[in-house]
Amino acid sequence: ARTIDVSKFQEHFMHNKVRRQTFERDSVMLTINTEERRGHVVVFNYGAVVFVNVPQSLRDWCLDAFAPFCGDTIPYGFQPVEDYKMTGGGQVEIGFDSVKLPQLDGHNLAVIATVLAQSVALDHYAAKTDAMLEAFTRLNSSVERTGVFSALEKRSLFRLVALNNTLFTDVIAKIGILERSNTAWKYLQYADVWEGLQDEFEIRDRFWKIEFKLNLIQQNSKFFLEVLATDKSNTLEWIIIALISI
C-alpha cells in the first residue's frame, strides 16, 4: 500500500487487546502469540509491513485485516518482498541475507524492521521511477520526431510532472531515508546495527539513484513546460493581433 493509517490501526487493535509497542514515530509493533511461537508485526505509515517469526498463513490473515487501514493498495503478487534471517546470541554479524545479534529485543527488532521496510519501499519507488523514465523517454522521442506536442502527449507530460512530485514527497518525506532511527538516536548500542544494516542494504546509494532519476525527469519536464507556455503565449499574441486588425 502507499499509506497505512497507523493512528486508526492502533485504535482498532487497542480495542482488540493486542499488545502494541511504538519505537519509531511512523510505525507500530504488534506482538502475536500462538501455541507454536511468538511473532511480531511492524506496520509503517508509508505502506510497508514487516513480519518477524510469523507463519505464512497468519501473514495472509494479517494483510487482510490491515486492508481497511490502507490507501492505494498494491495488487497481490506485485508487492516487493524481502526475506531476512535474524538470530540471537553471540557477536554482531550483519550480512546481505541475515543478521546475528547478542539479543533480539524490541529495540533491535524495531531497527531491523525499519531498514527492511525502507529497502522494500525503495524497491517499489525504484520500479515506479524507472517506469516514469521510460514513459518520458518515449514522449521525448515522439516530440523529437514530430517537433510538436499532441493533446495526448500534453496530458502525459502533466501526469508525469504530478507523479514525479508525488514520488519526491514520498521518498524524501515519508520514508525518512535521511533521518536516523529514533531508537538508534536515543540508544547508542543500537546505532552500530542501524548503520551496518543501512550500509548492507545500500539504502542511501539506492536513494541517491532514485533522486538522480527524479531530478532528471523534473529538469527535462521543466524545459517542455516552458516550451508549451511559450507556444501558448505566442498563440494568444496572434489572436490579439487578429482581433485588433478586425
Side-chain angles (χ1 to χ4, degrees), residues 147-201:
V148 295
F149 277 99
S150 67
L152 180 60
E153 288 168 342
K154 289 179 183 179
R155 288 196 294 271
S156 296
L157 177 61
F158 295 148
R159 288 186 68 253
L160 282 173
V161 171
L163 184 55
N164 191 74
N165 292 337
T166 300
L167 286 182
F168 253 126
T169 302
D170 287 351
V171 173
I172 294 177
K174 287 188 177 181
I175 304 180
I177 299 297
L178 301 179
E179 301 174 8
R180 173 174 277 197
S181 158
N182 287 346
T183 301
W185 184 265
K186 293 178 181 177
Y187 309 103
L188 185 60
Q189 64 268 36
Y190 301 104
D192 290 341
V193 177
W194 168 260
E195 295 295 339
L197 287 169
Q198 288 264 313
D199 292 341
E200 190 64 42
F201 282 88

Side-chain angles (χ1 to χ4, degrees), residues 86-92 99-109 112 189-190 193:
M86 292 179 275
T87 56
Q91 298 297 316
V92 175
V99 61
K100 186 176 183 180
L101 301 172
Q103 59 178 354
L104 289 175
D105 58 17
H107 291 296
N108 269 324
L109 291 178
I112 296 170
Q189 64 268 36
Y190 301 104
V193 177

Side-chain angles (χ1 to χ4, degrees), residues 70-85:
C70 299
D72 298 333
T73 56
I74 301 173
Y76 183 80
F78 291 90
Q79 307 99 324
V81 178
E82 288 196 26
D83 292 321
Y84 200 65
K85 182 179 180 181

Side-chain angles (χ1 to χ4, degrees), residues 128-137 160 163-164 167 214 217:
K128 294 190 72 171
T129 302
D130 287 341
M132 283 177 53
L133 195 57
E134 184 178 346
F136 188 84
T137 300
L160 282 173
L163 184 55
N164 191 74
L167 286 182
L214 291 176
I217 296 171

Side-chain angles (χ1 to χ4, degrees), residues 1 3-5 9 60-73:
T3 60
I4 298 178
D5 193 327
F9 180 86
D60 295 337
W61 180 88
C62 287
L63 292 177
D64 289 339
F66 300 166
F69 311 99
C70 299
D72 298 333
T73 56

Side-chain angles (χ1 to χ4, degrees), residues 29-42 50-59 62 82-87 104 109 112-113 116:
M29 180 187 294
L30 304 180
T31 299
I32 301 176
N33 294 310
T34 66
E35 294 180 359
E36 296 83 13
R37 66 183 77 187
R38 180 183 185 185
H40 305 275
V41 183
V42 189
V50 178
F51 295 99
V52 181
N53 199 33
V54 177
Q56 186 61 52
S57 59
L58 191 52
R59 296 183 198 179
C62 287
E82 288 196 26
D83 292 321
Y84 200 65
K85 182 179 180 181
M86 292 179 275
T87 56
L104 289 175
L109 291 178
I112 296 170
L116 289 175

